[in-house]
Amino acid sequence: MKAVGYYKYLPIEHPESLLDLEVPKPSPKGRDILVEVKAISVNPADPIVRAYDNKVGEPPYILGWDVAGVVEQVGPECTLFRPGDEVFYAGSLIRPGGNSKFHVVDERIVGRKPSTLDFANAASLPLTTITAWESLFDRLLISQSPEANRNKSILMIGAAGGVGSIALQLAKLAGLTVIGTASRPESVQWVKELGADFVINHYEPFLPQLQIIGFDHVDYIFCMNNTDQHWNNMTEVIAPQGKICLIVENEAPIALGLLKSKSVTVVWETMFTRSTFQTEDIEEQHRLLNRLAELVDEGKIHTAVTERMSPINAANLKLAHAKIESGQAIGKIVLEHFS
């Protein structure tokens, strides 16, 4: 089958950083399903994994953690899907990624594709939505009831990115006052269009900007980029007994002591935790994605696709990786159709 992969890390501009390949077609076992891949999307995780040595199996290595497609075959222990079902999912870091014509995945982390979306738009959603959903509702323990969140605020650092674009919509559905950060005119506009109540610049001190719009502190902070850069600002503006969720690893030690007097909770989110460690609640991601499909089909959550590319091949994936690595991407980049 066709796939896009690589044998060793090379800068994305190198001719062999990503290659068009022919690899064996996999077969499903146990609770796995075999999916014919119709569309994929690219996330910051892709170039990060490409650059580090946490590779799965022997080369060539295949990336890709956002897939929409059709179930071709199911394993003998499957109960959730059958051949012909249209699905979407983010996959697992401990197995080959989805940048291939066919892909095997555990059905417990797969959801039904929203019926109102084509495959490309559906492929833009799983990784970012799982990350956003788990961050808000599992890690920060925010209620999904708007009444419970009356007069509560959340600061979203990096709100224009893929995760931020979905987290912002989820937070608004939950009734929170959302303050997003962005720095470029186009990203500021994007965050406003998604429904942010206020937008501040993450390259300037947070507190003076928050005070201008009437806030001395915020109840929650969801930091989606550069933990080191924003840490001191976060500790200054988080409310006493507030909560902070981080998804980007810090390079320098974090001064947690700055939060002691406020009794602040700090939590981490990695959407691959359940699949990597095969946690008892792994099937929560199946239920989460099915709930997402309902919200999309009800018109309550919208995709954040900003660019569509075709076909799925090494040349187009190199372009997508380069845009992600530039740090200037807004929303999601999706690819569809194997040539």
Side-chain angles (χ1 to χ4, degrees):
M1 67 173 181
K2 292 183 178 181
V4 178
Y6 65 106
Y7 288 87
K8 64 179 181 179
Y9 170 74
L10 293 164
I12 197 61
E13 61 271 14
H14 192 283
E16 296 184 0
S17 60
L18 291 172
L19 300 165
D20 292 307
L21 304 168
E22 288 285 339
V23 298
K25 181 179 176 181
S27 298
K29 300 176 182 179
R31 296 200 68 176
D32 288 343
I33 58 176
L34 177 68
V35 176
E36 181 181 4
V37 177
K38 299 294 187 181
I40 60 174
S41 74
V42 183
N43 296 281
D46 294 71
I48 289 172
V49 174
R50 198 183 90 248
Y52 291 96
D53 290 329
N54 52 340
K55 307 298 190 294
V56 176
E58 298 296 320
Y61 306 113
I62 298 174
L63 304 172
W65 294 282
D66 261 333
V67 172
V70 178
V71 177
E72 182 177 87
Q73 186 180 349
V74 301
E77 299 174 20
C78 287
T79 59
L80 303 176
F81 297 102
R82 60 186 180 183
D85 287 345
E86 296 183 349
V87 296
F88 72 149
Y89 58 90
S92 166
L93 277 180
I94 60 174
R95 307 182 73 170
N99 294 347
S100 55
K101 178 65 176 176
F102 294 91
H103 186 232
V104 164
V105 63
D106 188 320
E107 68 167 353
R108 294 173 295 175
I109 58 172
V110 177
R112 72 162 187 88
K113 182 181 77 67
S115 60
T116 55
L117 296 183
D118 62 13
F119 288 104
N121 275 287
S124 75
L125 286 169
L127 186 146
T128 54
T129 302
I130 295 170
T131 301
W133 189 290
E134 291 183 349
S135 295
L136 297 179
F137 305 129
D138 294 349
R139 312 304 175 214
L140 293 173
L141 301 178
I142 295 171
S143 171
Q144 295 183 47
S145 166
E147 185 61 32
N149 293 320
R150 188 181 301 275
N151 299 321
K152 290 187 178 180
S153 58
I154 184 167
L155 175 64
M156 294 191 167
I157 303 171
V163 175
S165 297
I166 299 299
L168 201 160
Q169 297 180 69
L170 291 174
K172 288 301 297 180
L173 279 178
L176 290 164
T177 297
V178 178
I179 305 160
T181 79
S183 59
R184 293 172 289 134
E186 58 269 32
S187 57
V188 170
Q189 183 60 32
W190 176 257
V191 172
K192 288 181 177 178
E193 289 175 358
L194 288 171
D197 297 284
F198 305 97
V199 183
I200 66 173
N201 190 323
H202 44 238
Y203 289 115
E204 299 176 8
F206 291 176
L207 184 56
Q209 297 182 82
L210 289 174
Q211 289 174 332
I212 289 173
I213 58 177
F215 294 85
D216 290 319
H217 57 251
V218 291
D219 300 292
Y220 304 100
I221 296 177
F222 183 18
C223 184
M224 293 164 275
N225 67 19
N226 207 325
T227 299
D228 300 86
Q229 174 186 333
H230 303 302
W231 183 252
N232 287 341
N233 274 319
M234 287 190 275
T235 62
E236 186 174 33
V237 302
I238 189 66
Q241 302 185 91
K243 294 183 175 68
I244 298 173
C245 183
L246 310 171
I247 64 171
V248 178
E249 289 184 33
N250 52 298
E251 296 182 5
I254 289 179
L256 286 173
L258 295 174
L259 298 171
K260 182 178 185 295
S261 64
K262 293 184 180 180
S263 299
V264 169
T265 299
V266 179
V267 293
W268 286 98
E269 158 62 16
T270 301
M271 65 132 290
F272 294 113
T273 297
R274 283 173 162 139
S275 57
T276 297
F277 295 98
Q278 296 288 291
T279 60
E280 291 184 0
D281 64 348
I282 186 173
E283 201 166 314
E284 282 301 310
Q285 290 193 346
H286 164 70
R287 289 186 279 270
L288 186 164
L289 288 171
N290 281 351
R291 178 58 182 146
L292 169 63
E294 293 174 358
L295 291 172
V296 170
D297 289 341
E298 292 168 2
K300 295 178 179 177
I301 293 291
H302 304 281
T303 64
V305 173
T306 51
E307 186 169 0
R308 293 174 68 140
M309 305 173 74
S310 182
I312 302 171
N313 61 19
N316 280 334
L317 271 167
K318 286 178 187 177
L319 292 174
H321 276 236
K323 290 176 181 179
I324 294 290
E325 289 180 13
S326 75
Q328 303 297 305
I330 297 174
K332 291 297 295 286
I333 302 170
V334 298
L335 291 85
E336 54 189 331
H337 312 307
F338 276 89
S339 57

